[in-house]
Amino acid sequence: MITRRTALAGLATMLSSIATHGAPGEEFKVTSGGDSLSVSRLAAAGSDRRPAVIVLHGARGVELRARAYERYADALTARGIDTYFLRYMTSADMAALSSTSHEIREAYETTRFDGWADTVAATVTAVVGRSDSSGRIGLLGFSLGSYIAADAAARDTRVAALAVLYGGMPGAMAAKIMAARVKHMPPLIALHGEADKNVPIAEGRKLVALAKSVGAEAEFVPYPGRAHGFDFSDTDPMTADAIDRVTRFFQAKLAVGA
């Protein structure tokens, strides 16, 4: 089971590693629902106010594939975008999501999306309140983190751009959006492997269709033959393609250099 201690150790390792690449690191806490959660910031170069991307990891955290997340941070910070890794999971989340039962995990997740969205909102507040922030914020989610990012972006008009990898919109939230006829979703790019057996590619397509239905600009990028987490490969050329697409998307939508 992934514990809070090993998770934080993984973040510390990541910060140390990325700092050697030239991106200064910082850690701070955000409080949400009585929980104090860790955020790691990797700053882009320069003294001007900069846009930021908040990264929401998959259910297994960042520590098992730290280098995969580092590649995204390297690309974003190199292009003038501060990168924040939010550890949104509480100890209770980690315990529940380590269950071997898919049904138990899915049922638990359904109860937590409201709380996770609140945690993202608290992080957005912390980031936009910084003196080095331009106020332009994007969300980047992976797997479970993609569902949380999509949910949070639909609720929070401060989110200016959304990128999701092999994810979708939580079913309950999608129903709320359609029932309430919510008109807000930020510009969206969704990347998904066609051979994904963990999250069906239909989930990504439905998210893009939902975004378009409320008037948002949305792009879907399928990757033939690729499985869940394809962009975490150290050798697949589609890793670089995914990172480049995501980075260029945030550059454009967060008005880097404008």
Side-chain angles (χ1 to χ4, degrees):
M1 184 177 83
I2 298 172
T3 66
R4 183 180 292 272
R5 184 174 183 178
T6 57
L8 294 179
L11 278 177
T13 299
M14 176 185 285
L15 278 170
S16 176
S17 175
I18 297 178
T20 65
H21 289 74
E26 172 191 348
E27 286 205 50
F28 60 91
K29 300 284 189 178
V30 294
T31 301
S32 176
D35 294 301
S36 182
L37 300 157
S38 294
V39 182
S40 296
R41 170 180 177 263
L42 293 312
S47 57
D48 295 336
R49 292 187 176 187
R50 298 177 296 277
V53 167
I54 298 170
V55 180
L56 302 174
H57 56 76
R60 301 184 73 186
V62 299
E63 61 278 1
L64 296 181
R65 298 301 302 272
R67 182 56 193 144
Y69 290 103
E70 287 173 18
R71 284 192 284 258
Y72 280 94
D74 286 344
L76 290 167
T77 56
R79 289 161 177 79
I81 302 171
D82 289 351
T83 306
Y84 292 79
F85 287 89
L86 169 62
R87 281 298 312 196
Y88 57 85
M89 286 190 183
T90 66
S91 296
D93 293 337
M94 294 178 197
L97 294 177
S98 68
S99 171
T100 57
S101 167
H102 174 75
E103 291 74 16
I104 290 175
R105 294 196 305 272
E106 191 172 68
Y108 180 81
E109 289 170 5
T110 300
T111 70
R112 286 289 291 135
F113 281 111
D114 286 349
W116 285 329
D118 288 344
T119 297
V120 175
T123 308
V124 171
T125 297
V127 173
V128 299
R130 296 178 62 104
S131 61
D132 50 27
S133 171
S134 71
R136 300 285 290 173
I137 306 295
L139 298 181
L140 169 58
F142 299 83
S143 195
L144 174 59
S146 282
Y147 284 89
I148 296 168
D151 184 358
R155 300 169 186 244
D156 194 336
T157 58
R158 297 174 299 174
V159 176
L162 169 66
V164 304
L165 286 101
Y166 29 88
M169 178 70 78
M173 186 59 188
K176 288 178 183 178
I177 289 174
M178 298 311 294
R181 297 187 179 182
V182 172
K183 298 300 182 183
H184 169 76
M185 279 286 286
L188 162 70
I189 187 170
L191 285 63
H192 214 121
E194 291 185 348
D196 194 326
K197 295 181 179 179
N198 294 59
V199 177
I201 194 170
E203 291 287 288
R205 294 188 188 279
K206 286 193 294 185
L207 173 60
V208 168
L210 177 60
K212 289 181 176 180
S213 77
V214 296
E217 174 188 344
E219 178 184 5
F220 185 74
V221 184
Y223 285 81
R226 264 54 182 195
H228 194 75
F230 69 90
D231 58 315
F232 281 17
S233 170
D234 295 330
T235 57
D236 190 333
M238 290 300 99
T239 293
D241 182 85
I243 293 170
D244 182 61
R245 285 180 187 272
V246 167
T247 304
R248 286 190 288 109
F249 168 77
F250 282 125
Q251 275 187 292
K253 303 309 176 187
L254 299 181
V256 177

